[in-house]
Amino acid sequence: MTDAKDGRADQPGGRARRDRPDHPEADVIIQVTDGNLALSGRPVLRGINLTVRQGEVVAILGSNGSGKSTLVRGSLGLLPWSSGDVRLFDTPLPRFRDWQRVGYVPQLMTATSGVPATVGEVVASGRLSRRRLLLPMRPADREAVRRALGAVDLLDRRSDALSQLSGGQQHRVLIARALAVEPDLFVLDEPNAGVDHSSQVGLVETLRPLVAAGTTVLLVLHELGPLAALIDRVVLLRDGRMVYDGAPPGDVSLEEFHTHHHPDRVVDTVPMRSGWDL
């Protein structure tokens, strides 16, 4: 439930919203204040108050139609807000231009566009925001592309045509393209949808060094899965409203969590094997 006074999600037990322990005064990366968003005249998000700080790993959870993807897309300026104040890196969203600081992997997309391209070319397109159009790639650009491909275990497919890759591999190419930006904010919408456990663990290993380096990560998820090992905070949406913002649910099933909040539980991290599904 939301607090009638300020529209913020309840913090059961009176506990304040949790900042990442080692970033208590970190810069605000995303801030939505009293945000309302409607699509085709239908309210989708209502009274949203969300703050994401530098270095946090935040998961947005909720059932289908709860507004998870809409919240992410609105926060990145891909959908217009009806009212409220929205800021990205402390800049009002309509005035934000520093897009090389943001890496975004949208929901349920492969990289195939009908235009012949190699894996390396698609990933290299992520560097366009960091260099002038039509100028050749610099050594720093080539190194960023190499690191991004290595992070998703596709370096050996760099010269292959994109069309030769499976759907799961093409999605990893999109992750690599966003990584090549070298973002301060990395946003992934439903990255675990349609992938097996091994691929989910592979994503954890990809994100782990970014998290260690202080990159802010925002994830839209149906369930935490192996990513629970990295997540600091959970934001639960129901019918377009934030009904919880706090510690992850730990070993409670998400179905139970949606019905009964358990903010005092923490994630039980277990050893996991690594590897991307091919």
Side-chain angles (χ1 to χ4, degrees), residues 19 22 28-29 31 36 46 49 69 75 85 93 103 129 134-135 140 171 176 215 226 233 248:
D19 289 327
D22 54 343
V28 174
I29 304 301
Q31 187 162 41
N36 297 281
R46 306 171 179 86
N49 287 280
S69 295
S75 298
D85 181 62
L93 192 55
S129 62
L134 302 180
L135 288 182
H171 189 69
T215 302
R233 278 172 55 204

mmCIF file of all heavy atoms in Angstrom, residues 19 22 28-29 31 36 46 49 69 75 85 93 103 129 134-135 140 171 176 215 226 233 248:
data_model
loop_
_atom_site.group_PDB
_atom_site.id
_atom_site.type_symbol
_atom_site.label_atom_id
_atom_site.label_comp_id
_atom_site.label_asym_id
_atom_site.label_seq_id
_atom_site.Cartn_x
_atom_site.Cartn_y
_atom_site.Cartn_z
ATOM 1 N N ASP A 19 19.345 2.371 1.391
ATOM 2 C CA ASP A 19 20.383 2.671 0.426
ATOM 3 C C ASP A 19 21.400 1.550 0.473
ATOM 4 O O ASP A 19 21.501 0.822 1.455
ATOM 5 C CB ASP A 19 21.073 3.997 0.753
ATOM 6 C CG ASP A 19 20.171 5.184 0.484
ATOM 7 O OD1 ASP A 19 19.366 5.119 -0.456
ATOM 8 O OD2 ASP A 19 20.280 6.148 1.240
ATOM 9 N N ASP A 22 27.286 0.589 1.285
ATOM 10 C CA ASP A 22 28.533 1.298 1.063
ATOM 11 C C ASP A 22 28.340 2.552 0.214
ATOM 12 O O ASP A 22 29.301 3.177 -0.191
ATOM 13 C CB ASP A 22 29.573 0.376 0.411
ATOM 14 C CG ASP A 22 29.061 -0.283 -0.859
ATOM 15 O OD1 ASP A 22 27.839 -0.292 -1.046
ATOM 16 O OD2 ASP A 22 29.886 -0.789 -1.639
ATOM 17 N N VAL A 28 22.178 10.587 -6.786
ATOM 18 C CA VAL A 28 20.905 10.078 -7.287
ATOM 19 C C VAL A 28 21.000 9.929 -8.800
ATOM 20 O O VAL A 28 21.349 10.869 -9.510
ATOM 21 C CB VAL A 28 19.748 11.021 -6.904
ATOM 22 C CG1 VAL A 28 18.455 10.566 -7.563
ATOM 23 C CG2 VAL A 28 19.589 11.067 -5.391
ATOM 24 N N ILE A 29 20.691 8.737 -9.298
ATOM 25 C CA ILE A 29 20.761 8.458 -10.731
ATOM 26 C C ILE A 29 19.388 8.610 -11.381
ATOM 27 O O ILE A 29 19.238 9.253 -12.417
ATOM 28 C CB ILE A 29 21.317 7.039 -10.979
ATOM 29 C CG1 ILE A 29 22.677 6.871 -10.304
ATOM 30 C CG2 ILE A 29 21.411 6.764 -12.475
ATOM 31 C CD1 ILE A 29 23.736 7.844 -10.770
ATOM 32 N N GLN A 31 15.329 9.668 -10.397
ATOM 33 C CA GLN A 31 14.401 10.163 -9.384
ATOM 34 C C GLN A 31 13.062 10.492 -10.037
ATOM 35 O O GLN A 31 12.996 11.296 -10.967
ATOM 36 C CB GLN A 31 14.948 11.396 -8.673
ATOM 37 C CG GLN A 31 14.085 11.841 -7.499
ATOM 38 C CD GLN A 31 14.839 12.755 -6.563
ATOM 39 O OE1 GLN A 31 15.577 13.631 -7.006
ATOM 40 N NE2 GLN A 31 14.686 12.552 -5.265
ATOM 41 N N ASN A 36 2.913 10.214 -12.651
ATOM 42 C CA ASN A 36 1.720 9.569 -13.194
ATOM 43 C C ASN A 36 1.896 9.448 -14.702
ATOM 44 O O ASN A 36 2.355 10.390 -15.358
ATOM 45 C CB ASN A 36 0.464 10.391 -12.894
ATOM 46 C CG ASN A 36 0.197 10.505 -11.407
ATOM 47 O OD1 ASN A 36 -0.318 9.585 -10.784
ATOM 48 N ND2 ASN A 36 0.565 11.646 -10.824
ATOM 49 N N ARG A 46 0.691 5.326 -11.214
ATOM 50 C CA ARG A 46 0.013 6.300 -10.361
ATOM 51 C C ARG A 46 0.865 6.595 -9.131
ATOM 52 O O ARG A 46 1.266 5.679 -8.414
ATOM 53 C CB ARG A 46 -1.345 5.757 -9.895
ATOM 54 C CG ARG A 46 -2.281 5.293 -10.997
ATOM 55 C CD ARG A 46 -3.486 4.586 -10.389
ATOM 56 N NE ARG A 46 -4.438 4.126 -11.383
ATOM 57 C CZ ARG A 46 -4.358 2.960 -12.006
ATOM 58 N NH1 ARG A 46 -3.353 2.142 -11.740
ATOM 59 N NH2 ARG A 46 -5.271 2.600 -12.890
ATOM 60 N N ASN A 49 6.907 7.350 -6.618
ATOM 61 C CA ASN A 49 8.027 8.042 -5.985
ATOM 62 C C ASN A 49 9.174 7.048 -5.867
ATOM 63 O O ASN A 49 9.129 6.130 -5.044
ATOM 64 C CB ASN A 49 7.634 8.566 -4.604
ATOM 65 C CG ASN A 49 6.709 9.768 -4.691
ATOM 66 O OD1 ASN A 49 7.138 10.885 -4.923
ATOM 67 N ND2 ASN A 49 5.411 9.518 -4.526
ATOM 68 N N SER A 69 7.580 -2.501 -17.022
ATOM 69 C CA SER A 69 8.301 -2.008 -18.196
ATOM 70 C C SER A 69 7.961 -0.552 -18.481
ATOM 71 O O SER A 69 8.811 0.224 -18.931
ATOM 72 C CB SER A 69 7.978 -2.872 -19.421
ATOM 73 O OG SER A 69 8.466 -4.188 -19.252
ATOM 74 N N SER A 75 11.137 6.211 -17.196
ATOM 75 C CA SER A 75 12.313 6.761 -16.515
ATOM 76 C C SER A 75 13.420 7.115 -17.493
ATOM 77 O O SER A 75 14.262 7.973 -17.202
ATOM 78 C CB SER A 75 12.835 5.756 -15.482
ATOM 79 O OG SER A 75 11.866 5.497 -14.493
ATOM 80 N N ASP A 85 7.635 14.982 -11.524
ATOM 81 C CA ASP A 85 8.997 15.429 -11.819
ATOM 82 C C ASP A 85 9.888 14.203 -11.968
ATOM 83 O O ASP A 85 9.953 13.365 -11.061
ATOM 84 C CB ASP A 85 9.516 16.325 -10.688
ATOM 85 C CG ASP A 85 10.921 16.826 -10.969
ATOM 86 O OD1 ASP A 85 11.108 17.538 -11.971
ATOM 87 O OD2 ASP A 85 11.838 16.498 -10.188
ATOM 88 N N LEU A 93 14.341 15.247 -17.038
ATOM 89 C CA LEU A 93 14.371 14.304 -18.149
ATOM 90 C C LEU A 93 14.254 14.967 -19.519
ATOM 91 O O LEU A 93 14.984 14.588 -20.450
ATOM 92 C CB LEU A 93 13.266 13.256 -17.952
ATOM 93 C CG LEU A 93 13.309 12.032 -18.859
ATOM 94 C CD1 LEU A 93 14.652 11.327 -18.775
ATOM 95 C CD2 LEU A 93 12.186 11.068 -18.481
ATOM 96 N N GLY A 103 23.050 2.500 -20.636
ATOM 97 C CA GLY A 103 22.954 1.301 -21.460
ATOM 98 C C GLY A 103 21.603 0.656 -21.225
ATOM 99 O O GLY A 103 21.211 0.439 -20.077
ATOM 100 N N SER A 129 27.415 6.773 -29.498
ATOM 101 C CA SER A 129 27.131 7.915 -28.624
ATOM 102 C C SER A 129 28.402 8.503 -28.020
ATOM 103 O O SER A 129 28.373 9.589 -27.444
ATOM 104 C CB SER A 129 26.179 7.496 -27.497
ATOM 105 O OG SER A 129 26.771 6.498 -26.683
ATOM 106 N N LEU A 134 30.524 9.008 -38.435
ATOM 107 C CA LEU A 134 31.357 8.817 -39.622
ATOM 108 C C LEU A 134 32.855 8.782 -39.324
ATOM 109 O O LEU A 134 33.643 8.472 -40.220
ATOM 110 C CB LEU A 134 31.078 9.896 -40.686
ATOM 111 C CG LEU A 134 29.624 9.989 -41.177
ATOM 112 C CD1 LEU A 134 29.491 11.088 -42.226
ATOM 113 C CD2 LEU A 134 29.151 8.658 -41.746
ATOM 114 N N LEU A 135 33.248 9.094 -38.097
ATOM 115 C CA LEU A 135 34.662 8.979 -37.763
ATOM 116 C C LEU A 135 35.004 7.520 -37.485
ATOM 117 O O LEU A 135 34.175 6.760 -36.984
ATOM 118 C CB LEU A 135 34.998 9.828 -36.540
ATOM 119 C CG LEU A 135 35.000 11.345 -36.741
ATOM 120 C CD1 LEU A 135 35.403 12.039 -35.444
ATOM 121 C CD2 LEU A 135 35.948 11.740 -37.869
ATOM 122 N N ALA A 140 40.234 2.919 -28.137
ATOM 123 C CA ALA A 140 39.375 2.756 -26.956
ATOM 124 C C ALA A 140 38.028 2.144 -27.335
ATOM 125 O O ALA A 140 37.462 1.351 -26.572
ATOM 126 C CB ALA A 140 39.165 4.105 -26.272
ATOM 127 N N HIS A 171 20.156 -12.035 -28.316
ATOM 128 C CA HIS A 171 19.847 -11.207 -27.151
ATOM 129 C C HIS A 171 21.126 -10.850 -26.399
ATOM 130 O O HIS A 171 21.279 -9.726 -25.903
ATOM 131 C CB HIS A 171 18.874 -11.933 -26.232
ATOM 132 C CG HIS A 171 18.344 -11.069 -25.120
ATOM 133 N ND1 HIS A 171 17.484 -10.025 -25.343
ATOM 134 C CD2 HIS A 171 18.584 -11.077 -23.788
ATOM 135 C CE1 HIS A 171 17.197 -9.432 -24.199
ATOM 136 N NE2 HIS A 171 17.862 -10.051 -23.235
ATOM 137 N N ALA A 176 25.655 -7.041 -25.034
ATOM 138 C CA ALA A 176 27.022 -6.581 -25.306
ATOM 139 C C ALA A 176 27.023 -5.174 -25.899
ATOM 140 O O ALA A 176 27.893 -4.355 -25.573
ATOM 141 C CB ALA A 176 27.724 -7.555 -26.247
ATOM 142 N N THR A 215 28.631 0.490 -10.973
ATOM 143 C CA THR A 215 27.596 0.783 -11.963
ATOM 144 C C THR A 215 26.218 0.586 -11.343
ATOM 145 O O THR A 215 25.983 -0.375 -10.612
ATOM 146 C CB THR A 215 27.741 -0.142 -13.183
ATOM 147 O OG1 THR A 215 29.045 0.019 -13.738
ATOM 148 C CG2 THR A 215 26.695 0.172 -14.247
ATOM 149 N N PRO A 226 18.792 -16.534 -10.131
ATOM 150 C CA PRO A 226 20.193 -16.351 -9.739
ATOM 151 C C PRO A 226 20.586 -14.897 -9.519
ATOM 152 O O PRO A 226 21.534 -14.615 -8.789
ATOM 153 C CB PRO A 226 20.966 -16.959 -10.923
ATOM 154 C CG PRO A 226 20.024 -17.946 -11.522
ATOM 155 C CD PRO A 226 18.661 -17.334 -11.367
ATOM 156 N N ARG A 233 17.842 -4.015 -3.666
ATOM 157 C CA ARG A 233 16.491 -3.551 -3.354
ATOM 158 C C ARG A 233 15.497 -4.138 -4.333
ATOM 159 O O ARG A 233 15.832 -4.402 -5.490
ATOM 160 C CB ARG A 233 16.397 -2.022 -3.468
ATOM 161 C CG ARG A 233 16.880 -1.238 -2.285
ATOM 162 C CD ARG A 233 16.914 0.242 -2.627
ATOM 163 N NE ARG A 233 15.646 0.760 -3.117
ATOM 164 C CZ ARG A 233 15.549 1.844 -3.898
ATOM 165 N NH1 ARG A 233 16.630 2.493 -4.287
ATOM 166 N NH2 ARG A 233 14.363 2.273 -4.287
ATOM 167 N N PRO A 248 15.199 -7.472 -0.588
ATOM 168 C CA PRO A 248 14.659 -8.589 -1.373
ATOM 169 C C PRO A 248 13.964 -9.609 -0.479
ATOM 170 O O PRO A 248 14.222 -9.672 0.728
ATOM 171 C CB PRO A 248 15.904 -9.188 -2.040
ATOM 172 C CG PRO A 248 16.926 -8.099 -2.007
ATOM 173 C CD PRO A 248 16.656 -7.323 -0.751
#
